[in-house]
Amino acid sequence: FPDMLSNPRLLSVQGTLNVVMNQNVTLSCRTDSGCPPVRYTLFRRNQKVATVNRTDLSPGLFNFTISSASDTGGYKCKAEDISSSGKYSNSLTFTLLEPISKPLLSSPTSQAKKGQNVTLLCLSENGSLPITYVFFKGRRSISPPVKTEKREAAVIFLFINSSSDFGIYKCRAENSFRNNTKYSNSFNFTLAEERNHSQPLIISLGLILLLFIIGLALAIHFFIIPSYKASE
């Protein structure tokens, strides 16, 4: 009796499903049993891509280029022999790795004073996820790696303790794309002017004194002078 056709296995010859734009890739489709010849057909989202015929049970190989995001998947292959109408494989989808853009380092406030808590945010708007961020003060790392699975900023909180905390800050971003580490713009907090709490008190006392002088002048003009003239 002829061997029954088994479901084929679809895998990436490169050994990874991570790809970059314009990369050449090869998919292998193979069934372990069946009656040769075997026909392998590759589909992408149910659309036929290519067909390969084999006279034995050797795998069918499909070569193509990842030229756009639509080329990433999902792929399936179909195996057919003389005794079967065909069986389908597992599904495969590539992950397109995109280089990250230069991250932006920012803060809700640009001014700070000693004893104040401040926030730093670092965000790379482009690049495949996840992205890992590290914050620096000068050349010294001031945070553990912060990994983001979504397109959102990495955040750290700082305490301004002394004048040395007003130096230059930067952040670094990287993802799975090889040799693609980017550093942000420089950011530094400016010292907020300390508000003089005695100044409002001085202004208030000045206004009170001014009102007293005006009131005294009015009293002299309307009461004291007329009374003096009446007594003459």
Side-chain angles (χ1 to χ4, degrees), residues 21 44-45 66-73 93-94 96:
M21 194 68 73
R44 182 179 65 235
R45 289 188 290 276
I66 302 295
S67 56
S68 68
S70 62
D71 294 329
T72 57
T93 298
F94 291 101
L96 184 62

Side-chain angles (χ1 to χ4, degrees), residues 18-25 66-67 95-99 177-178:
N18 293 331
V19 295
V20 297
M21 194 68 73
N22 299 318
Q23 178 178 336
N24 295 320
V25 296
I66 302 295
S67 56
T95 298
L96 184 62
L97 298 181
E98 179 187 4
F177 197 94
R178 291 183 179 180

Side-chain angles (χ1 to χ4, degrees), residues 3-17:
D3 290 335
M4 181 178 295
L5 181 70
S6 63
N7 288 87
R9 291 176 289 113
L10 183 65
L11 55 87
S12 170
V13 174
Q14 292 76 224
T16 178
L17 294 177

